[in-house]
Each structure stands twice: as structure tokens, then as C-alpha cells.
Amino acid sequence: MPFREINSKMIEATVMPGQRLFSQRGAMLAYKGEVSFTPNIQGGQGGIASMIGRRVAGEATPLMTVEGSGTVLFGHGGHHIQVIGLTGDTLYVEADRLLAFDGTLQQGTMFMGSQGGVMGMVRGQVTGQGLFTTTLQGHGAVAVMAHGGVIEVPITPHRPVHVDPQAYVAHHGDVRNKLSTALGWRDMVGRGSGEAFQLELSGNGAVYVQASEEKL
């Protein structure tokens, strides 16, 4: 794993010859060694085709290609950072939450409606997350950003997890999601920003939840 957590809001990445990382533009804080940073318009390993839908929807997040030999400190906006390791599975995460990730990971764009049908589209509108989400697949590490820290909640076949859509950060594994109506006291005391809905995740994997209902 090329990322080392310095503190809750900063990570150090090791860059080696012949390998590459991708980071959000503006996320580099400092570096040592012979490291180059190049604007990337193709959206990572997935190529430009994987980003067409997101660019049409105006949801693209500019990336930098990081190459060379040395170490780089990353952080952005004082947000908390969570490093997630992938071992061949797929991470579903909003593009604006990506701080940095291994260049070995295959990046793609998934239409929200393909998970949960029409309700997946409704979720995108209610949460303000858009109709597309970014996928990262393979073996490697991903650093994501969140407000107030992140907790990993396991999802098992017999125990689905219900998440406030505004607190959702990412999920991975063989997981299905759907939007359901929340019943109970939250309907009457919530902030009126979509809390009458819950994001229900079922299957086998994990969901990452932030300690806040704020968007980045």
C-alpha cells in the first residue's frame, strides 16, 4: 500500500519508478525527490470513454498523474482522510471525495440507475450526489475524504445497513443499494434535506459513513 497516514487529515504517498498515482488537483501539500505532476484528462486507467457520462453531466473532478521517485504529502480542505485497501473488488465512491489512488486500479463511471433501477436515480437527486458515481476496481489503495472522520460498517447477507444518504461516503463488495422511506421520529425532527429517506445496502461488503451530513 503506497499510502501512510500521517494524521487524520494528511497522508504520505510513496512514488516509485515505473508506477503512478492519481490525485485530485490541488491536493499536493509537499514532496521530496524527483516527482512530476501532470494534468490528467482521461480520468485514470479507465480512459476517456469511462468519463464521458460524468463530463456530460458536469460531474468530472480534475485529476493529476503523479510519477517519479520520492514521497508526496496529500491533504485537501482540512477534510478527514480514510485509506481503503482493495483486493480485487470494486469501490463505489463520489469523484469529489477521491483524494488519491493507485494507478493500477481500473476507474470507471456507473450510472446510478443501474443499482436500484429508478430508485437509484432518485437517490442521486435527493442526496445531491449526481446520477453518476465513480468505480475503482482491482488491487491497490484509495484515499477518500470526509467530514468529521469515517467509520467502516460491515454489510452481511442477513443484516442490511441503513444509512442517512447525506452521511454516505463509499461502499465496496457485492452490495446492492436502494432508497427507502424512513419511518419514525427522524421524519419530524430532521433538517429537511432528504432525511425522510434512507439508503439501504444489502449483500456482502462494507459501507463507509462520515460523522457529518455535510457535502464536501
Side-chain angles (χ1 to χ4, degrees), residues 1-3 13-21 32-36 65-72 102-104:
M1 184 176 296
F3 302 126
T14 300
V15 185
M16 302 179 64
Q19 300 179 2
R20 66 175 59 175
L21 302 174
K32 296 185 294 184
E34 299 296 324
V35 182
S36 65
T65 301
V66 184
E67 297 175 293
S69 178
T71 58
V72 184
D102 265 320
T104 56

Side-chain angles (χ1 to χ4, degrees), residues 3-213:
F3 302 126
R4 181 173 70 91
E5 296 181 4
I6 303 298
N7 56 42
S8 63
K9 299 180 181 181
M10 187 183 301
I11 60 171
E12 181 183 71
T14 300
V15 185
M16 302 179 64
Q19 300 179 2
R20 66 175 59 175
L21 302 174
F22 295 101
S23 73
Q24 188 172 132
R25 294 187 194 177
M28 188 277 289
L29 302 176
Y31 71 90
K32 296 185 294 184
E34 299 296 324
V35 182
S36 65
F37 302 86
T38 308
N40 181 275
I41 63 172
Q42 293 187 336
Q45 288 286 91
I48 195 166
S50 70
M51 298 298 292
I52 289 177
R54 186 174 295 277
R55 292 193 180 280
V56 168
E59 299 174 8
T61 296
L63 295 175
M64 296 288 288
T65 301
V66 184
E67 297 175 293
S69 178
T71 58
V72 184
L73 292 178
F74 289 113
H76 191 63
H79 300 307
H80 286 76
I81 301 170
Q82 176 77 25
V83 177
I84 301 171
L86 296 180
T87 56
D89 52 346
T90 301
L91 180 73
Y92 300 84
V93 60
E94 298 308 304
D96 61 358
R97 292 190 179 272
L98 285 174
L99 179 70
F101 58 93
D102 265 320
T104 56
L105 295 173
Q106 183 76 23
Q107 183 181 4
T109 301
M110 185 193 75
F111 180 55
M112 288 301 301
S114 67
Q115 275 208 359
V118 174
M119 293 307 291
M121 298 171 62
V122 174
R123 175 197 150 194
Q125 296 288 1
V126 171
T127 64
Q129 293 175 344
L131 296 179
F132 297 86
T133 196
T134 295
T135 61
L136 293 170
Q137 183 178 28
H139 291 78
V142 184
V144 300
M145 298 179 289
H147 281 291
V150 178
I151 185 172
E152 179 181 353
V153 182
I155 302 169
T156 60
H158 304 293
R159 190 179 292 272
V161 177
H162 295 82
V163 177
D164 186 319
Q166 305 293 339
Y168 168 87
V169 174
H171 74 270
H172 71 87
D174 184 14
V175 174
R176 298 287 298 174
N177 73 72
K178 68 177 182 179
L179 204 67
S180 60
T181 303
L183 300 176
W185 62 271
R186 286 180 64 82
D187 291 337
M188 300 204 276
V189 302
R191 294 166 54 193
S193 59
E195 290 183 350
F197 296 92
Q198 294 175 348
L199 184 61
E200 179 182 320
L201 299 108
S202 59
N204 192 15
V207 59
Y208 295 88
V209 181
Q210 69 177 13
S212 171
E213 295 177 322

